[in-house]
Amino acid sequence: MKIIVCIKQVPGITEVKIDPKTRTLIREGIPSILNPMDKNAVELALSFKDEHGAEVIALSMGPPQARDVLIEAMAMGADGGYLLTDKQFAGADTLATSYTLSCGIKKILDGASEYLVICGGQAIDGDTAQVGPELAEELGIPSITNVQKATLRDGKIITERALEDNEINVLETGLPALITVLRETNKPRFATLQGIQDAFEKKEVVSLALNDLQIDKSKIGLTGSRTQVWKVFVPEKKKESVILTGPVDEVVKKLGRILKEKGLI
Amino acid sequence: MVKMGIIIDKDACTGCENCVSACNFGGVVMVDEVAQITENCNLCGACVKECPVGCIKIEKEDVETVKIDKSQYRGVWVIGEHVKGVIRGITYQLLGKGRELADALDVSLIAVVLGNEFQEELEELGYNGADEIILVKSPVLQEYNSELYVNITTELIGKHKPEIVLIGATPIGRDFAPRVSKRLDAGLTADCTGLEIEEGSRNLLQTRPTFGGNIMAIIKTPDSRPQMATVRANTFKPMSKRAIDVKLTKVDYDIDQGVLATKKVKTIKKERSHVNIEEASVIVSGGRGVGCEENFKLIEELANALNGEVGGSRMACDLNWIDPSCQVGQTGKTVAPQLYMACGISGAIQHKVGMQNSDFVIAINKNPDAPIFDACNVGVVGNLEKIIPALIKEIKSLKSEG
């Protein structure tokens, strides 16, 4: 069985700061990383491989430097990596991205009908959580989102997911299928030294451009995007704050008064 | 490296640097007084508009695309959300915003509900803004079902052709909305924090945070319909109720469960039961600065004293001090209580986007430079291990005074 893990290279934005003078992102020294939840997706695929045997393929769409995250996935244990890279793919919204990924998946499958696609729940730069389910729709396969736990049994995938705080639904579907996973799904393994060596020496990243795929050019990149970014801006700071200082008992008295005035006590 | 898709006519560039200041992503730099695109470029096109000599272009190959007759699409829809027949707050919030948009466009606002038995009268949706309710009624729809939601909403939208469809950015909405948008080939914008109609067109301007909330982007769906958008809980407010005779249309939908690919095996009830923090009016949240699991009890005690709920930062959840369902922030929940207390939370932008709509925010942190102090009404710089017990005592004594 083939397990395809869709991964994305993102800026490590938890470290992003805004330049107070120019009000723009300070990007110097911000590393590009493998999207955190995509690591959980790779881990789940590898745990299925360990248990049942499978070929794990990492797939990404992006500029040539996105190759780095595919190598990282291979160092963790993925058997191979595919990078969809072409200037025509750029500027894609989630509809165009999911279409392009589906063309890559069809190429990788090469006619195989039993497969599983695993995606991270959402990427930390866009946060849309849309590409996974849209990709499943494009492929015409079932999708289960927000999966916290998953097992493979007899050609079926059994998942746990929560739509409510106090309730977990156990859902089962046959393969092929697509699931999206969360941070709490598992603890991603670290790449071993041997793993890193193998990623560079024994495995390879296959780059696929427009002409390598069977693809409808009207559905990719900017042309295939229904949504367009019209404007971007840095949000204004909203609140004017009062800072309380002094001995604890005085501060606490002031807080108590404020809470009482607000009708909160 | 040269970024794909965007080209600068180096000979025409005057070196004015307008493009550099227009870019929020560090995607343009000056090299030898000529603009150059860097790998940070995400093709947003901000620089294209700012160039006074028109020397920046986005390379776009002309491909035949099917044009949509946008005039066929009229009306604003809200897809209602309920849990086993209890209408969720997000539905009323979406109706509040939907009413504004429908009025701006001079069209009807329609609430679409898939369900069976409801705790409240469905007319409530009308009192909260809807002109009409479309109810798809079946016992099978008492609980959420991914495939049925996708099939039914796609068919209804395809048949009635609304120009705008609003859906909650909840686990349910985020599950079915993307598949619907794909099946309809309609643009979908996630997690909108602002929605308005563009003057002179009927386009929906959809503002959403990106890069973890560091940047806001305004998204348009100019050439296709419907325009679909999801909105996180507590982003918009419900409108004040009105009296109205609301039209209720029941739609029969032939549901064949046999063809569904995904089956529900069982439901596991979680032992820990607490109020969904999205609905709470007081939340006391703790972060890494709380120090240890033992200290987190202080947060719970303070929440109890204020009759509130407990929340946490992502770090507090990762450290297992609190259940992930109580996480506030970009990857957790968006809350807007009357009072939000952030204790030992530094206030990364990803946390702020989850609580910045709160009515009143009190922050306690020992670091005077913590960014949370920019997002609070009242800040206390100090040691929460000392402040919180004293505050609990003070609250109790104020309570007993009455």
Side-chain angles (χ1 to χ4, degrees), chain B residues 10-21:
Chain B
K10 288 197 163 77
D11 298 329
C13 177
T14 59
C16 73
E17 298 191 14
N18 283 7
C19 52
V20 177
S21 42

Side-chain angles (χ1 to χ4, degrees), chain B residues 201-311:
Chain B
S201 75
R202 298 177 75 89
N203 287 334
L204 182 65
L205 298 181
Q206 306 157 106
T207 306
R208 71 177 305 266
T210 182
F211 278 81
N214 287 294
I215 296 271
M216 303 300 286
I218 303 180
I219 313 283
K220 274 203 245 185
T221 312
D223 302 320
S224 82
R225 293 293 182 269
Q227 306 161 90
M228 297 177 63
T230 68
V231 176
R232 294 184 74 148
N234 297 310
T235 304
F236 300 126
K237 287 202 175 0
M239 56 178 273
S240 39
K241 285 199 197 180
R242 57 177 191 165
I244 184 188
D245 283 327
V246 60
K247 186 179 155 201
L248 178 66
T249 310
K250 273 189 202 168
V251 179
D252 290 318
Y253 192 92
D254 189 18
I255 292 171
D256 180 4
Q257 282 183 274
V259 301
L260 298 179
T262 304
K263 278 203 284 286
K264 186 158 147 183
V265 183
K266 62 178 173 184
T267 301
I268 305 167
K269 290 272 176 202
K270 273 212 226 168
E271 278 174 31
R272 197 173 180 286
S273 86
H274 49 79
V275 174
N276 182 345
I277 54 167
E278 282 171 356
E279 323 263 331
S281 57
V282 173
I283 298 171
V284 182
S285 275
R288 178 160 45 180
V290 172
C292 60
E293 197 173 357
E294 185 66 25
N295 277 0
F296 215 82
K297 291 201 182 89
L298 286 176
I299 305 294
E300 286 162 26
E301 283 170 34
L302 179 56
N304 282 339
L306 288 162
N307 299 320
E309 298 297 324
V310 182

Side-chain angles (χ1 to χ4, degrees), chain B residues 18-285:
Chain B
N18 283 7
C19 52
V20 177
S21 42
C23 181
N24 275 307
F25 303 97
V28 201
V29 291
M30 300 306 286
V31 177
D32 298 332
E33 295 182 11
V34 172
Q36 190 172 318
I37 301 294
T38 74
E39 62 187 38
N40 293 335
C41 168
N42 66 353
L43 287 171
C44 76
C47 56
V48 177
K49 285 171 219 148
E50 289 302 319
C51 179
V53 293
C55 77
I56 310 177
K57 287 191 180 66
I58 291 187
E59 198 179 53
K60 204 174 170 182
E61 196 178 326
D62 279 330
V63 185
E64 281 291 313
T65 48
V66 186
K67 279 276 172 211
I68 287 164
D69 179 7
K70 292 194 280 181
S71 67
Q72 287 190 0
Y73 291 79
R74 282 293 178 266
V76 179
W77 278 22
V78 165
I79 311 293
E81 181 169 326
H82 66 92
V83 178
K84 299 185 179 97
V86 181
I87 303 277
R88 297 287 298 267
I90 178 72
T91 306
Y92 298 114
Q93 295 157 17
L94 291 176
L95 286 171
K97 177 50 81 177
R99 184 72 260 162
E100 282 175 35
L101 299 175
D103 289 344
L105 291 164
D106 197 20
V107 293
S108 297
L109 173 64
I110 296 175
V112 178
V113 187
L114 283 59
N116 190 40
E117 300 295 333
F118 290 90
Q119 276 205 350
E120 56 264 78
E121 303 272 312
L122 278 186
E123 280 74 14
E124 275 293 320
L125 300 171
Y127 309 148
N128 279 280
D131 299 305
E132 190 185 334
I133 299 159
I134 298 178
L135 169 65
V136 182
K137 193 172 178 208
S138 161
V140 185
L141 293 169
Q142 185 68 9
E143 284 192 26
Y144 173 73
N145 179 296
S146 186
E147 283 167 82
L148 291 175
Y149 265 63
V150 174
N151 294 346
I152 295 169
T153 43
T154 308
E155 273 187 39
L156 287 175
I157 293 169
K159 190 174 159 204
H160 296 276
K161 296 191 166 45
E163 59 201 293
I164 293 173
V165 180
L166 305 181
I167 298 169
T170 58
I172 287 177
R174 285 175 151 221
D175 185 68
F176 77 89
R179 289 197 77 132
V180 173
S181 98
K182 187 79 197 185
R183 205 172 286 181
L184 291 166
D185 196 17
L188 172 65
T189 305
D191 290 1
C192 297
T193 55
L195 291 170
E196 58 183 305
I197 305 298
E198 184 182 42
E199 262 185 64
S201 75
R202 298 177 75 89
N203 287 334
L204 182 65
L205 298 181
Q206 306 157 106
T207 306
R208 71 177 305 266
T210 182
F211 278 81
N214 287 294
I215 296 271
M216 303 300 286
I218 303 180
I219 313 283
K220 274 203 245 185
T221 312
D223 302 320
S224 82
R225 293 293 182 269
Q227 306 161 90
M228 297 177 63
T230 68
V231 176
R232 294 184 74 148
N234 297 310
T235 304
F236 300 126
K237 287 202 175 0
M239 56 178 273
S240 39
K241 285 199 197 180
R242 57 177 191 165
I244 184 188
D245 283 327
V246 60
K247 186 179 155 201
L248 178 66
T249 310
K250 273 189 202 168
V251 179
D252 290 318
Y253 192 92
D254 189 18
I255 292 171
D256 180 4
Q257 282 183 274
V259 301
L260 298 179
T262 304
K263 278 203 284 286
K264 186 158 147 183
V265 183
K266 62 178 173 184
T267 301
I268 305 167
K269 290 272 176 202
K270 273 212 226 168
E271 278 174 31
R272 197 173 180 286
S273 86
H274 49 79
V275 174
N276 182 345
I277 54 167
E278 282 171 356
E279 323 263 331
S281 57
V282 173
I283 298 171
V284 182
S285 275

Side-chain angles (χ1 to χ4, degrees), chain A residues 196-216:
Chain A
I196 295 165
Q197 204 175 344
D198 288 352
F200 283 99
E201 289 172 9
K202 295 187 181 155
K203 298 171 183 174
E204 91 178 301
V205 174
V206 180
S207 281
L208 297 174
L210 184 75
N211 292 333
D212 300 317
L213 298 167
Q214 282 205 311
I215 205 161
D216 176 348

Side-chain angles (χ1 to χ4, degrees), chain A residues 88 125-127 137-138 143 145 164-165 167-168 170 172 226 228 230-231 233 241-242 244 260, chain B residues 49 84 88 175 179 182-183 208 211 216 218 220 263 265-266 268 330 333 373 376 379 402:
Chain A
Q88 305 278 350
D125 54 352
D127 278 304
E137 179 67 29
E138 186 70 53
S143 56
T145 58
E164 286 304 307
D165 290 356
E167 208 179 277
I168 291 169
V170 183
E172 177 189 285
R226 293 302 194 187
Q228 291 174 8
W230 179 56
K231 209 189 240 179
F233 60 96
S241 317
V242 177
L244 303 180
K260 185 128 189 169
Chain B
K49 285 171 219 148
K84 299 185 179 97
R88 297 287 298 267
D175 185 68
R179 289 197 77 132
K182 187 79 197 185
R183 205 172 286 181
R208 71 177 305 266
F211 278 81
M216 303 300 286
I218 303 180
K220 274 203 245 185
K263 278 203 284 286
V265 183
K266 62 178 173 184
I268 305 167
Q330 186 83 17
K333 286 182 171 149
F373 290 123
C376 68

